Amino acid sequence: MFLDALASRGLALVRQTDVSDFSFQGHRLRLMATQSGIWKPAILSAALSFNTVFAADPSRRPYDDEVGPDGYLRYKWRYKDPNDPTNYDLSDNRAMRNAMRFGLPLIWFQGVDRGLYLPIYPVYLADEEPARQQFVVAVDEGSLELRRDLASDPKLVRSYAMRTVKERLHQPLFRQRVLVAYDNRCSLCHLGHVELLDAAHVLADSEGGEPVVTNGIAMCKIHHAAYDADIFGIAPNYRVGVRRDVMDEVDGPTLRYALQGIHGQEIRLPRRRASRPDPDLLEQRWARFEEAG
Ligand SMILES: [Zn+2]
């Protein structure tokens, strides 16, 4: 579809203007709401997309939309006043309900920076929780079907849902948010080829590291692998230390420039203070590096 075409041109991320002029059966169609929230084009009877805007501040909060105890994400109803009993009938909420009833695919635009979104699609609305004024979102068809099948084992449904949320939403969102924070450049060598860049974790998932910008650093493939192999470490003051035995080696330009050359340098940091690596997390990782070296 249209978004695949954008993605194939290297535009995994979109701005509202990129998706304001999509042509469908002779109609010009906007794909995303101009303000935050739910979007239903006039020619459709159901919602087409919804969005979650980027919030720079609660940077330690891993995700903008919470995962319920069942492993599924939630998306809040549109409301003017949270205590107004007529929220249920607002046209945006009815449009979402129609998409849910007919099992229609939707696009979830996730904010990665101000005005910049990562489209996640197709997603489905699996359920509604009126008491909490929210919809239950399935991020793939498998988790939609598993939830609807009454014979499904709840434990299995939960672990499947959690895995798909991680793979389809949290991991891509972490990568994009980290790369954007570092202006799509390696924080060590400043290489700017996005296809050669990764979002490295300071603390790994298995060590309790969360997929948040403050636990990530943009690195090229070489530096990411070298960081994970403890060839160098990054101290809580953002200075790089290269392992002693590697500093003593004699070899060609990659060793000299890419590895020995970064010793003592300060990494290039995001301009936005709230996006910089958390010194406490760096400290824990640095202690491990010093043990290894
Ligand atoms: Zn690099």
Side-chain angles (χ1 to χ4, degrees):
M1 86 187 251
F2 177 70
L3 291 169
D4 289 320
L6 282 177
S8 71
R9 301 208 316 259
L11 290 168
L13 298 179
V14 297
R15 292 182 183 279
Q16 281 174 345
T17 47
D18 296 330
V19 291
S20 64
D21 196 15
F22 169 65
S23 172
F24 174 72
Q25 294 181 357
H27 296 273
R28 282 175 59 179
L29 196 64
R30 170 182 285 284
L31 297 187
M32 190 188 342
T34 49
Q35 302 292 319
S36 61
I38 297 158
W39 175 239
K40 182 195 85 69
I43 60 163
L44 301 181
S45 59
L48 179 63
S49 74
F50 50 102
N51 66 38
T52 299
V53 292
F54 172 75
D57 220 0
S59 61
R60 306 246 10 193
R61 203 171 70 193
Y63 331 113
D64 297 321
D65 297 280
E66 280 181 26
V67 179
D70 53 7
Y72 286 73
L73 286 156
R74 303 299 195 267
Y75 190 81
K76 287 284 175 196
W77 281 359
R78 176 176 173 84
Y79 59 78
K80 289 183 186 120
D81 171 349
N83 298 317
D84 187 337
T86 65
N87 288 338
Y88 181 86
D89 278 324
L90 289 176
S91 62
D92 280 347
N93 297 332
R94 278 187 300 167
M96 289 285 265
R97 212 162 286 131
N98 282 344
M100 179 176 72
R101 280 190 191 128
F102 298 113
L104 299 173
L106 294 126
I107 309 164
W108 193 348
F109 290 101
Q110 287 275 352
V112 303
D113 204 309
R114 231 160 261 139
L116 200 59
Y117 294 85
L118 176 68
I120 309 284
Y121 62 95
V123 302
Y124 301 87
L125 298 176
D127 218 334
E128 186 174 8
E129 294 169 331
R132 310 197 66 169
Q133 308 204 16
Q134 62 195 11
F135 292 98
V136 178
V137 184
V139 294
D140 75 338
E141 220 173 324
S143 44
L144 175 70
E145 279 166 13
L146 265 182
R147 189 184 176 97
R148 288 186 170 175
D149 183 355
L150 295 174
S152 299
D153 169 7
K155 266 197 200 143
L156 185 127
V157 176
R158 183 170 182 272
S159 77
Y160 181 89
M162 288 180 70
R163 200 177 72 231
T164 51
V165 165
K166 192 167 145 188
E167 286 171 6
R168 296 219 47 227
L169 189 83
H170 293 162
Q171 286 170 350
L173 206 52
F174 172 68
R175 173 186 161 80
Q176 295 297 346
R177 284 181 174 163
V178 170
L179 295 192
V180 166
Y182 288 78
D183 280 334
N184 290 304
R185 290 193 173 271
C186 173
S187 58
L188 296 137
C189 66
H190 313 158
L191 186 73
H193 276 269
V194 171
E195 63 275 36
L196 297 178
L197 298 180
D198 288 337
H201 285 80
V202 177
L203 287 189
D205 198 17
S206 57
E207 301 166 313
E210 289 182 304
V212 292
V213 173
T214 50
N215 185 40
I217 303 176
M219 290 185 194
C220 69
K221 302 273 180 196
I222 290 262
H223 283 129
H224 186 190
Y227 186 53
D228 283 355
D230 289 324
I231 286 175
F232 70 88
I234 300 169
N237 63 0
Y238 304 123
R239 291 227 172 260
V240 177
V242 175
R243 216 169 61 205
R244 206 158 297 132
D245 62 303
V246 178
M247 288 305 287
D248 292 341
E249 265 179 67
V250 178
D251 197 16
T254 302
L255 177 80
R256 284 204 307 276
Y257 297 119
L259 297 178
Q260 293 170 340
I262 61 173
H263 183 69
Q265 264 187 26
E266 195 175 298
I267 65 166
R268 187 185 276 194
L269 292 166
R271 267 165 303 173
R272 193 180 281 137
R273 208 158 262 284
S275 302
R276 294 181 183 171
D278 181 338
D280 293 341
L281 302 177
L282 286 172
E283 175 82 59
Q284 290 181 55
R285 176 75 182 256
W286 178 253
R288 198 184 81 197
F289 166 73
E290 288 205 301
E291 272 170 39

